[in-house]
Amino acid sequence: MTTNPSSAARQGQEALGVRLRELRKEAGLTGRALADLTGQHFTRVSKIEHGVQPPTDNDILAWCHACNAEDQIPDLTATLRAVESAYLEFRRQSRAGMKRVLGAHTLALYEQTSVFRIYEHNAIPGLFQTADYTAAMLSFWIDFLETPNDLDEAVAVRMERQRVLYQRGKRFVVVLEEQALRTWFGDAVTQAGQLDRLLAVMSLPNVSVGIIPLMIERPAVASTGFWIFDDLLIALETPTASIEVTRPQEIELYARMFDRLQVSAVYGPEARALIGRTIDQLGQ
């Protein structure tokens, strides 16, 4: 974990400690009894349970064996990975320029992923962006994060990732809010070009794009955009950080949210007509 002790890293560590304490109590063990069974000092058990000290992989294995909770090992181990490395500070990464601010969105991960499920609420997904749209978006972040101005290199890195769209065996299932069509990055010409590009990408046989219209009754509202890489990783971004979720139970929740968002979306000719109307309005 790269954030300071008062950050989400500490909160995640504390939450993991709470889960381990619950396992101990469910097993009817005191802290001293668990310490004896796992071969450690009881004060260390207390520090782990209160989020003062992170557990190791071996701690989780021994803890679960002592509590007869071996079925919890995969989920707890995934949570530990999230606490250790999933919260990446943009400002730290961006010291070398925006080309380094990728979070989970690396070419290597894109190459490994077979099914992308993408939900965006206020921007067109990076895989579908034009160079002008990407440049306009990154120009804001370069100014906001006060990073070195490596705009051309940063755009090139993001354009390079788009080659996965044309690789065999990959599927892209996308849900956009209509607001994503209407949020400008750059001027009207840039936005119109981006929407034209979106229409072109929608014609690819391995791409499905649904759009949730504004002002409709709906069964779910998501608080932020997120990407699901197969069923292994969730990636989402805040203004200052990229967050990666690997805990199986959380991945399942994001997948359930994605399914509910899909219910509200329109597809095919109806989605294309919605994009077309937005393009027409740009010229007015």
Side-chain angles (χ1 to χ4, degrees):
M1 203 68 165
T2 59
T3 49
N4 61 53
S6 64
S7 70
R10 181 59 179 270
Q11 296 173 19
Q13 189 168 301
E14 290 173 350
L16 180 56
V18 169
R19 292 181 64 201
L20 290 170
R21 181 166 67 247
E22 290 173 350
L23 286 183
R24 173 180 62 77
K25 290 183 175 181
E26 289 172 2
L29 298 173
T30 64
R32 288 180 180 271
L34 180 70
D36 290 340
L37 288 170
T38 56
Q40 57 189 315
H41 197 274
F42 74 89
T43 57
R44 187 165 186 276
V45 170
S46 177
K47 288 179 180 178
I48 290 174
E49 290 187 349
H50 288 86
V52 176
Q53 182 174 335
T56 65
D57 286 351
N58 287 335
D59 288 331
I60 289 176
L61 289 173
W63 202 296
C64 290
H65 286 310
C67 297
N68 293 317
E70 287 84 354
D71 61 320
Q72 297 296 309
I73 291 173
D75 194 58
L76 289 169
T77 301
T79 302
L80 177 60
R81 293 287 174 272
V83 170
E84 290 174 336
S85 63
Y87 199 103
L88 306 174
E89 290 183 80
F90 276 15
R91 188 171 291 274
R92 179 182 64 82
Q93 289 183 312
S94 65
R95 289 172 187 158
M98 285 302 293
K99 64 180 179 291
R100 295 285 303 276
V101 183
L102 299 174
H105 296 270
T106 63
L107 182 58
L109 179 59
Y110 281 30
E111 296 277 3
Q112 295 165 12
T113 302
S114 297
V115 179
F116 297 72
R117 281 174 286 176
I118 302 167
Y119 167 72
E120 291 290 0
H121 63 307
N122 63 5
I124 304 301
L127 280 174
F128 301 165
Q129 290 176 7
T130 65
D132 287 344
Y133 184 94
T134 298
M137 179 183 289
L138 291 180
S139 293
F140 164 77
W141 288 111
I142 287 170
D143 178 66
F144 178 76
L145 296 174
E146 299 177 345
T147 74
N149 190 340
D150 63 341
L151 182 61
D152 290 342
E153 296 93 333
V155 171
V157 168
R158 286 157 176 79
M159 294 298 104
E160 173 68 10
R161 293 181 308 199
Q162 294 186 4
R163 72 187 192 197
V164 300
L165 285 170
Y166 308 99
Q167 291 180 354
R168 183 176 301 175
K170 295 189 182 295
R171 288 200 307 117
F172 304 87
V173 185
V174 181
V175 176
L176 303 177
E177 298 285 347
E178 183 180 347
Q179 184 59 49
L181 310 179
R182 297 177 176 277
T183 301
W184 287 24
F185 291 96
D187 58 18
V189 174
T190 298
Q191 191 70 11
Q194 177 56 71
L195 295 181
D196 279 335
R197 166 66 175 164
L198 179 59
L199 287 171
V201 172
M202 288 170 64
S203 67
L204 295 174
N206 60 335
V207 174
S208 168
V209 176
I211 301 173
I212 302 175
L214 292 169
M215 304 295 288
I216 64 165
E217 186 175 349
R218 51 195 291 174
V221 177
S223 58
T224 188
F226 58 89
W227 291 46
I228 306 176
F229 296 89
D230 290 328
D231 288 311
L232 303 176
L233 174 69
I234 307 294
L236 56 150
E237 295 179 353
T238 74
T240 58
S242 174
I243 303 172
E244 299 173 23
V245 177
T246 56
R247 185 182 169 202
Q249 290 180 348
E250 289 190 67
I251 291 174
E252 182 180 344
L253 286 174
Y254 277 96
R256 190 188 311 169
M257 173 61 78
F258 190 83
D259 290 343
R260 295 192 179 185
L261 292 166
Q262 281 186 297
V263 171
S264 301
V266 296
Y267 295 85
E270 197 171 352
R272 288 177 172 277
L274 203 161
I275 297 170
R277 288 195 296 271
T278 307
I279 293 174
D280 291 342
Q281 291 170 5
L282 287 171
Q284 293 179 358

